[in-house]
Amino acid sequence: MSPIYVYDYLLRSGVALNSASHRRVFPGALIRVGSGFGCVHPWPEFGDVTVDEQLRLLSEGITTPVTEMALRCAEIDGAAREAGVSLFEGLEIPRSHYSWSFAQATEPQIQRVVNEGWQAIKAKGYANYGETRRFLEQCARVGEKSGLKLRVDFNGCLDAHSFSQFIEFMPLRTYQQLDLIEDPFPYDATAWQQMQQRWGVKLALDKGWRDGSTGFSAVVVKPARRDWRIVADRHPQHPLMLTSAMDHALGQMFAAYEAALAREQIGDRVGLCGLCTQHLFEEDGFFERVSSPGGLLQPDLSGGGLGFGDVLERLPWRRLL
């Protein structure tokens, strides 16, 4: 095996990023294999081992789903850098929704969404669903004229009853602008099917995608964690929503590259994505190069491959093996 070099990083957010985590600091690591780079960004809240354990296993030649995709990313990235081309050459990155940041003021974000013409807002939902509903009402009032759609990801923190309450007492205007609700409560085919039929809402499946059969209208895929092709084959009748893993900018760009490939290969089955997450974190030398006006992610082209070439070269790499 080629030598692997590592750069440890910490991402920082202003608030917790989902209902499953209270953290505001997120450790991860970039890896370098030959000319290529990849991103190791585990989420222990969702069953991953820590980044230290990921790297320890990798040093012993043992891969996890996270490091396997990071190595795949490094291989693809390295081939493009050696050829002197950007991985985004000839590809179109699908458009994304706006990932709402509860760490930033509401009004400037609303104005940005409206002024730049974003098609949807996605917010993290919490067990206090009344607060989530009130937030969506606020967005619905502002976005009604522009046709703004609303998405929510509960990360399975509700139960069937509380989800019903969330929908039942929702103002009509908000309800009409709902697009997708991701993982409202832990997946159960019968219960999810009943919810879709009873309330006329579309549910999106993330956790439990391997065993999911019915009761959902879309499947969420994070290319940094699993190959979208496997998911597309497993659910041939369903649209896919490809998202970042809320990780380093390099991992974000890998997700964008895979989403562009997916759009090219399976067309309209790739719906509005969730690739624009750079603004959820404190700016660094990588994130400052990423922009996404109106949900159109603009890749960095420096050094070919997934970009950021000059920044990557300046990092203090340490040898893993």
Side-chain angles (χ1 to χ4, degrees):
M1 178 183 279
S2 300
I4 298 178
Y5 295 85
V6 172
Y7 168 73
D8 303 291
Y9 66 77
L10 291 174
L11 304 184
R12 292 178 170 85
S13 66
V15 297
L17 295 178
N18 55 58
S19 62
S21 171
H22 298 291
R23 290 188 294 142
R24 298 184 184 185
V25 178
F26 306 88
L30 299 181
I31 61 169
R32 179 174 191 165
V33 187
S35 302
F37 301 88
C39 175
V40 178
H41 192 90
W43 279 85
E45 293 87 344
F46 301 129
D48 298 332
V49 297
T50 65
V51 65
D52 289 342
E53 182 66 5
Q54 299 272 355
L55 296 177
R56 186 190 69 79
L57 291 170
L58 186 58
S59 71
E60 297 175 0
I62 302 170
T63 59
T64 67
V66 174
T67 54
E68 188 174 332
M69 294 307 288
L71 289 170
R72 181 171 179 269
C73 172
E75 181 180 4
I76 295 168
D77 177 61
R81 290 181 195 273
E82 288 176 6
V85 298
S86 167
L87 279 170
F88 297 100
E89 192 170 308
L91 290 176
E92 182 179 347
I93 300 173
R95 200 165 185 170
S96 289
H97 57 235
Y98 182 82
S99 294
W100 190 265
S101 170
F102 287 103
Q104 299 176 27
T106 297
E107 188 60 28
Q109 290 187 89
I110 286 285
Q111 288 305 313
R112 179 186 176 190
V113 167
V114 172
N115 293 341
E116 294 184 3
W118 292 73
Q119 296 179 349
I121 286 174
K122 179 183 174 182
K124 294 296 180 180
Y126 296 89
N128 183 352
Y129 57 85
E131 189 175 311
T132 299
R133 187 167 55 215
R134 285 189 292 275
F135 168 73
L136 294 176
E137 290 170 19
Q138 187 178 4
C139 295
R141 284 195 299 272
V142 176
E144 186 175 25
K145 292 181 180 178
S146 63
L148 183 72
K149 293 296 185 181
L150 304 174
R151 293 175 163 185
V152 191
D153 179 8
F154 280 104
N155 277 294
C157 72
L158 302 181
D159 56 29
H161 175 72
S162 56
F163 178 65
S164 288
Q165 296 284 295
F166 170 71
I167 299 293
E168 184 173 5
F169 297 102
M170 180 177 289
L172 179 61
R173 171 171 52 196
T174 309
Y175 174 81
Q176 289 174 333
Q177 288 175 241
L178 277 182
D179 181 29
L180 288 171
I181 300 174
E182 185 179 334
D183 287 355
F185 52 90
Y187 176 73
D188 175 273
T190 301
W192 277 39
Q193 186 71 10
Q194 289 173 346
M195 289 297 162
Q196 286 205 139
Q197 292 173 346
R198 179 182 181 186
W199 299 114
V201 295
K202 292 191 291 185
L203 303 184
L205 180 67
D206 183 1
K207 321 293 182 295
W209 68 273
R210 291 183 185 279
D211 302 318
S213 54
T214 58
F216 51 94
S217 301
V219 184
V220 181
V221 189
K222 296 177 177 64
R225 307 179 66 82
R226 65 184 70 107
D227 191 334
W228 62 264
R229 298 160 189 81
I230 296 173
V231 183
D233 290 344
R234 172 68 183 83
H235 300 283
Q237 306 304 317
H238 287 87
L240 303 184
M241 180 170 73
L242 282 81
T243 74
S244 86
M246 291 192 294
D247 53 357
H248 191 277
L250 186 81
Q252 180 187 3
M253 286 302 142
F254 180 59
Y257 165 71
E258 289 288 346
L261 283 183
R263 171 61 63 83
E264 187 176 71
Q265 294 178 27
I266 60 175
D268 290 342
R269 282 186 62 196
V270 177
L272 192 66
C273 292
L275 305 166
C276 304
T277 50
Q278 69 280 358
H279 59 280
L280 299 178
F281 301 100
E282 290 182 5
E283 201 168 82
D284 61 18
F286 292 87
F287 285 134
E288 67 186 16
R289 296 192 177 199
V290 182
S291 63
S292 51
L296 297 171
L297 190 64
Q298 310 295 307
D300 183 84
L301 304 178
S302 169
L306 292 171
F308 311 111
D310 55 327
V311 189
L312 290 164
E313 291 297 336
R314 290 197 297 268
L315 296 178
W317 298 92
R318 63 180 175 87
R319 183 160 177 165
L320 181 69
L321 62 83

